[in-house]
């Protein structure tokens, strides 16, 4: 007697009637959340992903009247022009030096500020300091640089006039190229330290207070508590933000650098952002400026991939 396969195969599992009826209800219940996500999703699609189609002009002699489809194709000529430009190595040196100073001086500043603020016992004092240190973030770079000019202009600056009246030498802060990098990094620290510390303060707020209480019972002083509890709590956040910061190593803030530039400090202040503006945008060389942008993005992508792999090798969480 032959038994058919249909008879031996297990019967298909049937979902309970209530479970099948709940599926559409769960989808409908998530509609408010989908609507909340929609504006952010549309922003990235419209302003981040759709414009990426315009990168093709880096390989064209782009003419606005001919458009993307009819502009002459020139391949890698724009990249060759960039790499053979006499100013290329000066731009690369200035960009890397300023980015390095940002990484080693500006990046640790919010971490240190968050740790110090976390050690403050009085809540009213902590809130007051937080409010004061956040305020510079909301000032534009135009205002920040203007304040610097008003205070340190060689002839009419308030501080230089005061120094002159006291018999001291004037500070050539804006007209001496040696001061440019110090001025750039110090303004970054003053303006953005408080704002960038928010994420570190949020990470510290999640630390269980009983860990500090147990450390006190074990005889640990404040320094040991910071070293063995606070810093380990911030470690993963520091690693992820550092990796992301490496992706912006070629981005220095166009407006900030441009406002600080003058003919005296151009040799140390000229970076890729201002070079693109001067030689690409002002002269209408959109293809060339796009090629420089692709070069900057490629460097950032490579650094992110390498830093992420290195973090994984040391057992840390990466960005993916």
């Amino acid at each position: 007697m032959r038994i058919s396969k249909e008879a031996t195969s297990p019967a298909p599992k049937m979902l309970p009637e209530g479970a099948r009826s709940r599926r559409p209800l769960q989808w409908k219940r998530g509609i408010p959340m989908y609507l909340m996500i929609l504006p952010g999703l549309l922003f990235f699609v419209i302003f981040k992903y759709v414009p990426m189609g315009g990168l093709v002009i880096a390989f064209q002699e782009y003419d606005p009247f001919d458009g993307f489809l009819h502009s002459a194709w020139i391949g890698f000529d724009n990249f060759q022009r960039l790499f053979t430009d006499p100013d290329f190595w000066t731009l690369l040196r200035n960009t890397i030096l300023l980015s390095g100073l940002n990484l080693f001086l500006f990046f640790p500043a919010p971490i240190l500020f968050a740790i110090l603020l976390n050690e403050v016992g009085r809540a009213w004092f902590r809130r007051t300091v937080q409010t004061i240190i956040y305020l510079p973030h909301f000032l534009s770079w135009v205002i920040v640089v203007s304040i610097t000019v008003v205070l340190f202009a060689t002839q009419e600056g308030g501080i230089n006039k005061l120094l002159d009246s006291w018999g001291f030498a004037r500070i050539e802060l804006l007209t001496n190229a040696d001061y440019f990098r110090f001025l750039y990094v110090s303004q970054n620290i003053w303006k953005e330290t408080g704002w960038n510390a928010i994420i570190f303060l949020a990470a510290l707020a999640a630390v269980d207070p009983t860990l500090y209480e147990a450390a006190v019972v074990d005889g640990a002083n404040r320094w040991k508590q910071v070293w063995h509890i606070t810093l380990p709590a911030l470690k993963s956040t520091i690693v992820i933000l550092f990796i992301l910061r490496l992706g912006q190593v070629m981005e220095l803030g166009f407006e900030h650098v441009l406002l600080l530039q003058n003919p005296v400090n151009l040799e140390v202040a000229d970076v890729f952002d201002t070079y693109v503006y001067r030689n690409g945008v002002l002269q209408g060389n959109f293809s060339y400026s796009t090629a420089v942008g692709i070069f900057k993005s490629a460097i950032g992508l490579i650094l992110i991939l390498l830093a992420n792999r290195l973090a994984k090798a040391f057992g840390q969480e990466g960005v993916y």
Side-chain angles (χ1 to χ4, degrees), residues 22-155:
R22 282 198 298 268
R23 283 184 174 180
L25 292 177
Q26 291 175 353
W27 183 86
K28 291 179 180 179
R29 201 174 292 125
I31 289 179
M33 189 65 66
Y34 301 146
L35 292 176
M36 291 178 60
I37 296 173
L38 184 60
L41 180 63
L42 290 176
F43 170 81
F44 278 96
V45 170
I46 295 173
F47 295 103
K48 300 295 183 180
Y49 291 102
V50 172
M52 290 179 68
L55 297 178
V56 69
I57 69 175
F59 307 94
Q60 297 176 331
E61 189 64 44
Y62 177 69
D63 188 335
F65 297 100
D66 293 333
F68 300 106
L69 300 179
H70 303 288
S71 295
W73 188 267
I74 60 173
F76 291 92
D77 287 0
N78 286 317
F79 294 93
Q80 183 178 359
R81 174 185 170 186
L82 171 64
F83 298 139
T84 57
D85 192 307
D87 295 329
F88 174 77
W89 293 108
T90 300
L91 297 169
L92 186 63
R93 180 198 64 200
N94 292 340
T95 303
I96 291 178
L97 282 175
L98 288 177
S99 293
L101 290 173
N102 268 338
L103 284 174
F104 292 106
L105 296 179
F106 170 55
F107 182 80
I111 303 172
L112 180 60
F113 172 72
I115 293 174
L116 293 176
L117 200 60
N118 187 64
E119 294 298 313
V120 175
R122 298 184 180 275
W124 66 268
F125 182 76
R126 183 166 59 246
R127 289 194 297 267
T128 303
V129 172
Q130 280 182 280
T131 302
I132 294 173
I133 206 72
Y134 290 166
L135 289 178
H137 169 76
F138 300 98
L139 300 177
S140 70
W141 282 116
V142 175
I143 296 176
V144 174
V145 176
S146 298
I147 293 174
T148 305
V149 172
V150 169
L151 293 176
F152 292 99
T154 304
Q155 299 298 328

Side-chain angles (χ1 to χ4, degrees), residues 219-238:
N221 56 27
R222 300 300 289 268
W223 168 248
K224 290 184 177 180
Q225 293 175 37
V226 170
W227 184 257
H228 294 288
I229 300 175
T230 306
L231 285 177
L234 292 175
K235 182 169 61 176
S236 60
T237 304
I238 293 172

